[in-house]
Amino acid sequence: MEQKSDLAGDMIASDAAFHDQFDRDSTDFHHGDPTPVATGGQRIPESMPSVYTEEKKVEVSNYGPDYDRLMNLRAKLGDFKKTASKVGPSIEGVMRLNEKMNAADTKEAQKTKLEAQVKAEEAKLANTVSDLNAYKSLFEAGTEFDAPYLGAIDEITTGAHTKYADKDQYGDFVFLIRRHTQRVFKDQKNLLEQIKKIKREKEAESSAQAARSDSTEEEKAK
């Protein structure tokens, strides 16, 4: 009976000692690092060092002319794709308005209003085609995309000036535009890979230079 009493007493004492480590009023308080642990992986506390060597981040201010050229070309291709994608909806708008205007139950007052809307939509289409042709100067400047994109502009421009007899004929033109915009997407993806490659190489080069500089400074300090 006495043995059980001693065991219970030891357990109570051990439990009390454990709690005393976290009691600021106790003489047994652990006095550990009071710095709150950052959440979200923002910072590793000094009391929790990483087993991995922390790599020094080196900022690169200039990735070179090839990087800038590819970035600019990729952005221009994106703008070209957006412009080409506007042609179809304008043509569809003109066709839809003409269909309403030519309907047997359309009154004269409605036709006058619809005619004005057709002219507005046609003007929008003309502006889009003009913007599209402005990209010829980009592709004539000597890029790897000259031939296919100059041809694409001519095909889309011709299609934009065509009067479509029915939706099936118009659908073929929509497919043509989609084929060209899909090429843009593919080329943008390839350009991005080239951009990433240049960026990785420049950052690796800068990191190596920084490491050599740190090593030289350490040698001088010895």
Side-chain angles (χ1 to χ4, degrees):
M1 189 73 178
E2 183 178 352
Q3 184 177 1
K4 289 185 179 181
S5 177
D6 290 343
L7 180 59
D10 291 341
M11 292 177 64
I12 292 173
S14 176
D15 186 61
F18 176 78
H19 284 85
D20 284 345
Q21 296 180 67
F22 305 98
D23 184 356
R24 294 181 181 275
D25 296 327
S26 173
T27 57
D28 294 325
F29 180 60
H30 63 74
H31 297 289
D33 185 359
T35 305
V37 176
T39 59
Q42 297 175 354
R43 181 183 60 80
I44 299 176
E46 294 180 2
S47 60
M48 298 171 60
S50 172
V51 296
Y52 303 102
T53 303
E54 184 176 352
E55 184 177 346
K56 186 177 180 180
K57 180 68 175 177
V58 177
E59 296 294 334
V60 179
S61 58
N62 186 358
Y63 288 98
D66 284 342
Y67 177 89
D68 295 337
R69 180 183 67 83
L70 294 174
M71 285 286 289
N72 181 63
L73 180 56
R74 186 171 184 271
K76 291 294 185 183
L77 286 179
D79 293 338
F80 170 78
K81 181 171 66 174
K82 291 177 182 177
T83 303
S85 298
K86 292 178 182 178
V87 175
S90 289
I91 293 177
E92 189 174 344
V94 171
M95 292 177 63
R96 185 174 61 253
L97 290 168
N98 279 326
E99 187 177 350
K100 288 182 180 179
M101 190 169 58
N102 296 325
D105 58 346
T106 302
K107 298 179 180 178
E108 288 300 321
Q110 290 178 310
K111 286 185 178 181
T112 301
K113 184 178 179 180
L114 288 168
E115 283 177 356
Q117 292 177 352
V118 167
K119 289 181 179 179
E121 200 66 53
E122 287 176 342
K124 185 192 297 184
L125 175 60
N127 289 333
T128 300
V129 172
S130 177
D131 291 341
L132 195 65
N133 277 277
Y135 284 97
K136 282 189 173 182
S137 60
L138 169 67
F139 300 121
E140 289 171 347
T143 72
E144 55 265 48
F145 307 111
D146 292 357
Y149 283 105
L150 289 172
I153 292 172
D154 289 338
E155 286 184 351
I156 296 173
T157 298
T158 299
H161 292 147
T162 300
K163 299 297 182 182
Y164 295 99
D166 51 46
K167 291 183 179 179
D168 289 337
Q169 191 180 18
Y170 165 69
D172 292 337
F173 177 61
V174 171
F175 180 77
L176 181 143
I177 293 177
R178 187 177 296 121
R179 178 162 53 83
H180 288 308
T181 55
Q182 286 175 345
R183 179 192 289 119
V184 175
F185 179 80
K186 180 181 177 181
D187 288 339
Q188 280 186 303
K189 186 177 180 181
N190 291 335
L191 286 171
L192 182 60
E193 290 304 315
Q194 295 179 51
I195 289 168
K196 287 181 177 180
K197 183 175 182 292
I198 292 174
K199 192 173 182 180
R200 286 194 301 267
E201 290 173 350
K202 289 291 184 181
E203 288 177 350
E205 181 182 338
S206 295
S207 296
Q209 289 177 349
R212 287 194 295 268
S213 178
D214 290 344
S215 178
T216 301
E217 291 299 324
E218 290 176 1
E219 288 296 326
K220 289 180 179 179
K222 290 181 180 180

